[in-house]
């Protein structure tokens, strides 16, 4: 597998506008997931790691200040009703261990590295990074919720035109 992440060579500088940093991160993530037809379950695993790490860090910082993170940052965004296979009466029990044995660890590691490097090199504010990850998480959770069987978990992530 090619380990060179796709996209422009250099990330925006630390003093670049946050919107430029987020656009760079979006381009890198979309390009990689599309280039490698990255399954929704693998994208979900990486996003879960980042949403948990960043929200834990920000929650601790907010608590030190006597504040709380807004729910939009601290919790996954709700899915629409009727979006899941369970809502339409389908059996959604999958053997988790079997699914995890089938993921591509190298592809997950590369995707993880792309995200970490962009966040660190661009010095992306963590609040903006978490909000960005929540948007991706919502997209992926919507697709996972619609999974009708284990094979659906390994379908490539689908992006709406306005994503």
């Amino acid at each position: 597998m090619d380990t060179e992440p796709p996209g422009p060579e250099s990330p925006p500088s630390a003093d670049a506008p946050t919107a430029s940093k987020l656009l760079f991160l979006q381009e890198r993530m979309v390009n990689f997931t599309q280039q490698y037809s990255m399954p929704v379950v693998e994208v979900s695993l990486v996003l879960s790691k980042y949403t948990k790490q960043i929200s834990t860090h920000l929650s601790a910082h907010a608590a030190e200040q006597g504040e709380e993170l807004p729910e939009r940052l601290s919790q996954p965004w709700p899915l629409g009703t009727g979006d899941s296979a369970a809502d339409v009466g389908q059996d959604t029990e999958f053997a988790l261990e079997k699914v995890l044995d089938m993921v591509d660890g190298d592809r997950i590691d590369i995707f993880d590295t792309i995200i970490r490097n962009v966040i660190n090199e661009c010095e992306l504010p963590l609040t903006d990074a978490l909000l960005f990850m929540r948007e991706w998480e919502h997209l992926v959770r919507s697709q996972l919720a619609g999974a009708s069987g284990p094979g659906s978990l390994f379908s490539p992530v689908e992006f709406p035109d306005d994503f």
Side-chain angles (χ1 to χ4, degrees):
M1 180 179 289
D2 181 6
T3 59
E4 182 64 29
E9 292 300 315
S10 59
S13 65
D15 59 351
T18 299
S20 297
K21 298 172 186 180
L22 291 171
L23 179 60
F24 182 78
L25 180 57
Q26 177 83 345
E27 289 171 348
R28 298 285 293 229
M29 289 173 66
V30 168
N31 287 342
F32 184 81
T33 57
Q34 287 180 334
Q35 181 176 351
Y36 291 99
S37 299
M38 194 161 181
V40 67
V41 69
E42 293 177 6
V43 174
S44 175
L45 291 170
V46 176
L47 293 173
S48 175
K49 171 189 171 182
Y50 279 96
T51 56
K52 183 176 181 175
Q53 284 180 344
I54 297 171
S55 65
T56 298
H57 178 77
L58 289 175
S59 292
H61 181 70
E64 289 172 7
Q65 306 300 316
E67 298 178 7
E68 287 185 25
L69 285 183
E71 190 172 310
R72 182 153 175 81
L73 288 172
S74 66
Q75 299 297 317
W77 299 352
L79 299 176
T81 57
D83 286 346
S84 74
D87 290 339
V88 293
Q90 295 176 335
D91 182 15
T92 56
E93 298 224 5
F94 308 135
L96 182 59
E97 291 299 320
K98 188 172 184 177
V99 169
L100 293 177
D101 286 343
M102 296 171 59
V103 299
D104 183 333
D106 291 337
R107 187 168 44 209
I108 288 172
D109 289 344
I110 294 167
F111 189 55
D112 180 284
T113 300
I114 289 169
I115 295 170
R116 183 180 62 253
N117 285 346
V118 172
I119 289 172
N120 291 336
E121 290 176 24
C122 293
E123 296 180 23
L124 188 61
L126 292 182
T127 303
D128 294 317
L130 181 55
L131 192 57
F132 175 86
M133 292 297 157
R134 289 286 184 211
E135 183 176 6
W136 270 75
E137 175 189 54
H138 186 263
L139 172 75
V140 171
R141 284 180 57 237
S142 296
Q143 291 175 28
L144 287 172
S148 58
S152 301
L153 301 177
F154 290 91
S155 297
V157 174
E158 295 177 13
F159 298 99
D161 291 336
D162 61 346
F163 191 73

